[in-house]
Amino acid sequence: DFDADGAYYSAVLPAELTDMPMGDDARYSTLNINGEPQAGIIDAASTQPAGVLNQWLLYFIADDTDAALVTAGENAGAALSQPVDSPQGRYALLQDPSGALFYVISGAEM
């Protein structure tokens, strides 16, 4: 429940919820503390298979998303998606050697 989740986090944390355009029909908001985005919430209900639980995914800011994918592969990690350009920057989903998922993003300052 995107709206309920956003209300919850903005009530529990000292954060202001701000809608952010994604360039498509996806709903995305940032949780801003002192005017700076610290986390984001995306309404992924329409893109996830039934039964997938809500989850947090970590984004690391990288100088070069494409280079980060190469480096991950050279170090027993894996790229799980091709890089995607978005208004927020170029990002891709990776997996570390122990199976943890994370994104790298470059381009726009987060």
Side-chain angles (χ1 to χ4, degrees), residues 41-85:
I41 301 171
I42 190 165
D43 187 354
S46 65
T47 63
Q48 297 295 313
V52 172
L53 300 176
N54 291 332
Q55 56 192 291
W56 281 100
L57 287 172
L58 181 65
Y59 283 74
F60 290 104
I61 297 173
D63 290 331
D64 182 329
T65 296
D66 298 86
L69 270 66
V70 170
T71 301
E74 292 172 347
N75 290 280
L80 301 182
S81 74
Q82 293 297 313
V84 175
D85 292 315

Coordinates of all heavy atoms in Angstrom, one line a residue, residues 41-85:
I41 N 10.5 5.5 -2.0 CA 9.5 4.5 -2.0 C 8.9 4.4 -3.4 O 8.5 5.4 -4.0 CB 8.4 4.8 -1.0 CG1 8.9 5.0 0.4 CG2 7.3 3.8 -1.1 CD1 7.9 5.5 1.4
I42 N 8.9 3.2 -4.0 CA 8.3 3.0 -5.3 C 7.1 2.1 -5.2 O 7.1 1.1 -4.4 CB 9.3 2.5 -6.3 CG1 8.7 2.6 -7.7 CG2 9.8 1.1 -6.0 CD1 9.7 2.4 -8.8
D43 N 6.1 2.4 -5.9 CA 4.9 1.5 -6.0 C 5.2 0.4 -7.0 O 5.0 0.6 -8.2 CB 3.6 2.3 -6.3 CG 2.4 1.5 -6.2 OD1 2.4 0.3 -6.0 OD2 1.3 2.1 -6.4
A44 N 5.7 -0.7 -6.5 CA 6.1 -1.8 -7.4 C 5.0 -2.9 -7.5 O 5.3 -3.9 -8.1 CB 7.4 -2.4 -6.9
A45 N 3.8 -2.7 -7.0 CA 2.8 -3.7 -6.9 C 2.5 -4.2 -8.3 O 2.3 -5.4 -8.5 CB 1.6 -3.2 -6.2
S46 N 2.5 -3.4 -9.3 CA 2.1 -3.8 -10.6 C 3.3 -4.5 -11.4 O 3.1 -5.1 -12.4 CB 1.6 -2.7 -11.5 OG 2.6 -1.7 -11.7
T47 N 4.5 -4.4 -10.8 CA 5.6 -5.0 -11.5 C 6.2 -6.3 -10.9 O 7.1 -6.9 -11.4 CB 6.8 -4.0 -11.6 OG1 7.2 -3.7 -10.3 CG2 6.3 -2.7 -12.4
Q48 N 5.7 -6.6 -9.7 CA 6.2 -7.8 -8.9 C 5.2 -8.9 -9.1 O 4.0 -8.7 -9.1 CB 6.3 -7.4 -7.5 CG 7.4 -6.3 -7.2 CD 8.8 -6.8 -7.6 OE1 9.2 -7.8 -7.2 NE2 9.5 -5.9 -8.3
P49 N 5.7 -10.2 -9.1 CA 4.8 -11.3 -9.1 C 4.0 -11.4 -7.8 O 4.5 -10.9 -6.8 CB 5.8 -12.5 -9.2 CG 7.1 -11.9 -9.7 CD 7.1 -10.5 -9.2
A50 N 2.9 -12.1 -7.9 CA 2.1 -12.2 -6.7 C 2.9 -12.9 -5.6 O 3.7 -13.8 -5.8 CB 0.8 -13.0 -7.0
G51 N 2.7 -12.5 -4.4 CA 3.3 -13.1 -3.2 C 4.7 -12.6 -2.9 O 5.3 -12.9 -1.8
V52 N 5.3 -11.7 -3.7 CA 6.5 -11.0 -3.3 C 6.3 -10.1 -2.2 O 5.4 -9.2 -2.3 CB 7.2 -10.3 -4.6 CG1 8.4 -9.5 -4.1 CG2 7.5 -11.3 -5.6
L53 N 7.1 -10.2 -1.1 CA 7.0 -9.4 0.0 C 7.6 -8.0 -0.2 O 8.5 -7.9 -1.0 CB 7.6 -10.0 1.2 CG 7.1 -11.4 1.7 CD1 7.9 -12.0 2.8 CD2 5.6 -11.3 2.0
N54 N 7.1 -7.0 0.6 CA 7.7 -5.7 0.5 C 9.2 -5.8 0.9 O 9.6 -6.7 1.7 CB 7.0 -4.7 1.5 CG 5.7 -4.4 1.0 OD1 5.4 -4.4 -0.2 ND2 4.8 -4.1 1.9
Q55 N 10.0 -5.0 0.4 CA 11.5 -5.1 0.7 C 12.2 -3.7 0.5 O 11.7 -2.9 -0.2 CB 12.1 -6.1 -0.3 CG 11.9 -5.8 -1.7 CD 12.2 -6.9 -2.7 OE1 13.4 -7.1 -2.8 NE2 11.3 -7.5 -3.3
W56 N 13.3 -3.6 1.2 CA 14.2 -2.5 1.0 C 15.3 -2.9 0.1 O 15.8 -4.0 0.2 CB 14.8 -2.0 2.3 CG 13.8 -1.2 3.1 CD1 13.1 -1.7 4.2 CD2 13.5 0.2 3.0 NE1 12.4 -0.7 4.7 CE2 12.6 0.5 4.0 CE3 13.9 1.1 2.1 CZ2 12.1 1.8 4.1 CZ3 13.4 2.4 2.2 CH2 12.5 2.7 3.2
L57 N 15.7 -2.1 -0.9 CA 16.8 -2.3 -1.7 C 17.8 -1.2 -1.6 O 17.3 0.0 -1.7 CB 16.4 -2.6 -3.2 CG 15.8 -3.9 -3.5 CD1 15.2 -3.9 -4.9 CD2 16.7 -5.0 -3.3
L58 N 19.0 -1.4 -1.4 CA 20.0 -0.4 -1.2 C 20.6 0.0 -2.6 O 20.8 -0.8 -3.4 CB 21.1 -1.1 -0.4 CG 22.3 -0.2 0.0 CD1 21.9 0.9 0.9 CD2 23.4 -1.1 0.7
Y59 N 20.8 1.3 -2.7 CA 21.5 1.9 -3.9 C 22.8 2.5 -3.4 O 22.9 3.2 -2.5 CB 20.7 3.0 -4.5 CG 19.5 2.6 -5.3 CD1 18.3 2.1 -4.7 CD2 19.5 2.7 -6.6 CE1 17.2 1.7 -5.4 CE2 18.4 2.4 -7.4 CZ 17.2 1.9 -6.8 OH 16.1 1.5 -7.5
F60 N 23.9 2.1 -4.2 CA 25.2 2.7 -4.0 C 25.4 3.7 -5.1 O 25.2 3.3 -6.3 CB 26.3 1.7 -4.0 CG 26.3 0.8 -2.8 CD1 25.8 -0.5 -2.8 CD2 26.8 1.3 -1.5 CE1 25.8 -1.3 -1.7 CE2 26.8 0.4 -0.4 CZ 26.3 -0.8 -0.5
I61 N 25.9 4.9 -4.9 CA 26.2 5.8 -5.9 C 27.6 5.4 -6.5 O 28.5 5.2 -5.8 CB 26.2 7.3 -5.4 CG1 24.8 7.6 -4.9 CG2 26.7 8.2 -6.4 CD1 24.8 9.0 -4.2
A62 N 27.6 5.3 -7.8 CA 28.8 4.9 -8.5 C 29.2 6.0 -9.5 O 28.3 6.7 -10.0 CB 28.6 3.6 -9.2
D63 N 30.5 6.1 -9.8 CA 30.9 7.0 -10.8 C 30.5 6.6 -12.2 O 30.2 7.4 -13.0 CB 32.5 7.2 -10.8 CG 33.0 7.9 -9.5 OD1 32.2 8.8 -9.0 OD2 34.1 7.7 -9.1
D64 N 30.4 5.3 -12.4 CA 30.1 4.7 -13.7 C 29.4 3.4 -13.5 O 30.0 2.4 -13.1 CB 31.4 4.5 -14.5 CG 31.2 4.0 -15.9 OD1 30.2 3.3 -16.2 OD2 32.0 4.3 -16.8
T65 N 28.1 3.4 -13.8 CA 27.3 2.2 -13.6 C 27.8 1.0 -14.4 O 27.9 -0.1 -13.9 CB 25.8 2.4 -13.9 OG1 25.3 3.4 -13.0 CG2 25.0 1.2 -13.8
D66 N 28.1 1.2 -15.7 CA 28.6 0.2 -16.5 C 29.9 -0.4 -16.0 O 30.1 -1.7 -16.0 CB 28.8 0.7 -18.0 CG 27.4 1.1 -18.5 OD1 27.0 2.3 -18.3 OD2 26.7 0.3 -19.2
A67 N 30.8 0.4 -15.6 CA 32.1 -0.1 -15.0 C 31.9 -0.9 -13.7 O 32.5 -1.9 -13.5 CB 33.0 1.1 -14.8
A68 N 30.9 -0.4 -12.9 CA 30.6 -1.2 -11.7 C 30.1 -2.6 -12.0 O 30.4 -3.5 -11.2 CB 29.5 -0.4 -10.9
L69 N 29.3 -2.8 -13.0 CA 28.9 -4.1 -13.4 C 30.1 -5.0 -13.8 O 30.1 -6.1 -13.4 CB 27.9 -4.0 -14.6 CG 26.4 -3.9 -14.2 CD1 26.1 -2.6 -13.5 CD2 25.5 -4.1 -15.4
V70 N 31.0 -4.4 -14.5 CA 32.2 -5.2 -14.9 C 33.0 -5.6 -13.7 O 33.4 -6.7 -13.5 CB 33.1 -4.4 -15.9 CG1 34.4 -5.0 -16.1 CG2 32.3 -4.2 -17.2
T71 N 33.2 -4.6 -12.8 CA 33.9 -4.9 -11.6 C 33.3 -5.9 -10.7 O 33.9 -6.8 -10.1 CB 34.1 -3.6 -10.8 OG1 34.8 -2.6 -11.6 CG2 34.9 -3.8 -9.5
A72 N 31.9 -5.9 -10.6 CA 31.2 -6.9 -9.8 C 31.4 -8.3 -10.4 O 31.7 -9.2 -9.7 CB 29.7 -6.5 -9.8
G73 N 31.3 -8.4 -11.7 CA 31.6 -9.7 -12.4 C 33.0 -10.2 -12.2 O 33.2 -11.4 -12.1
E74 N 33.9 -9.3 -12.1 CA 35.3 -9.7 -11.9 C 35.6 -10.2 -10.5 O 36.7 -10.7 -10.2 CB 36.3 -8.6 -12.3 CG 36.3 -8.3 -13.8 CD 37.0 -7.0 -14.1 OE1 37.4 -6.2 -13.2 OE2 37.3 -6.8 -15.3
N75 N 34.7 -9.9 -9.6 CA 34.9 -10.2 -8.2 C 33.8 -11.1 -7.6 O 33.4 -10.9 -6.4 CB 35.0 -8.8 -7.4 CG 36.2 -8.1 -7.7 OD1 37.3 -8.5 -7.2 ND2 36.2 -7.2 -8.6
A76 N 33.3 -12.0 -8.4 CA 32.3 -13.0 -8.0 C 30.9 -12.5 -7.8 O 30.1 -13.2 -7.2 CB 32.8 -13.8 -6.7
G77 N 30.7 -11.3 -8.2 CA 29.3 -10.8 -8.1 C 28.6 -11.0 -9.5 O 29.2 -11.6 -10.4
A78 N 27.4 -10.5 -9.6 CA 26.7 -10.8 -10.8 C 25.8 -9.6 -11.1 O 25.2 -9.0 -10.2 CB 25.8 -12.0 -10.8
A79 N 25.7 -9.2 -12.4 CA 24.7 -8.2 -12.8 C 23.4 -8.9 -13.1 O 23.4 -9.9 -13.9 CB 25.2 -7.5 -14.1
L80 N 22.3 -8.5 -12.5 CA 21.0 -9.1 -12.7 C 20.2 -8.3 -13.7 O 19.1 -8.8 -14.0 CB 20.3 -9.3 -11.4 CG 21.1 -10.1 -10.3 CD1 20.3 -10.3 -9.1 CD2 21.4 -11.5 -10.9
S81 N 20.6 -7.2 -14.1 CA 19.9 -6.4 -15.1 C 20.9 -5.6 -15.9 O 22.0 -5.4 -15.5 CB 18.9 -5.4 -14.4 OG 19.6 -4.3 -13.9
Q82 N 20.4 -5.2 -17.1 CA 21.2 -4.3 -17.9 C 21.0 -2.9 -17.3 O 20.0 -2.6 -16.7 CB 20.7 -4.4 -19.4 CG 21.0 -5.7 -20.0 CD 22.5 -6.0 -20.2 OE1 23.3 -5.1 -20.5 NE2 22.8 -7.2 -19.8
P83 N 22.0 -2.0 -17.5 CA 21.8 -0.7 -17.1 C 20.6 0.0 -17.7 O 20.3 -0.2 -18.9 CB 23.1 0.0 -17.5 CG 24.1 -1.1 -17.7 CD 23.3 -2.3 -18.1
V84 N 19.9 0.8 -16.9 CA 18.8 1.5 -17.4 C 19.0 3.0 -17.1 O 19.4 3.4 -16.0 CB 17.5 1.0 -16.6 CG1 16.3 1.8 -17.0 CG2 17.3 -0.4 -16.9
D85 N 18.6 3.9 -18.1 CA 18.7 5.3 -17.9 C 17.4 5.8 -17.3 O 16.3 5.4 -17.8 CB 19.0 6.0 -19.2 CG 20.4 5.7 -19.6 OD1 21.3 5.8 -18.8 OD2 20.6 5.5 -20.8

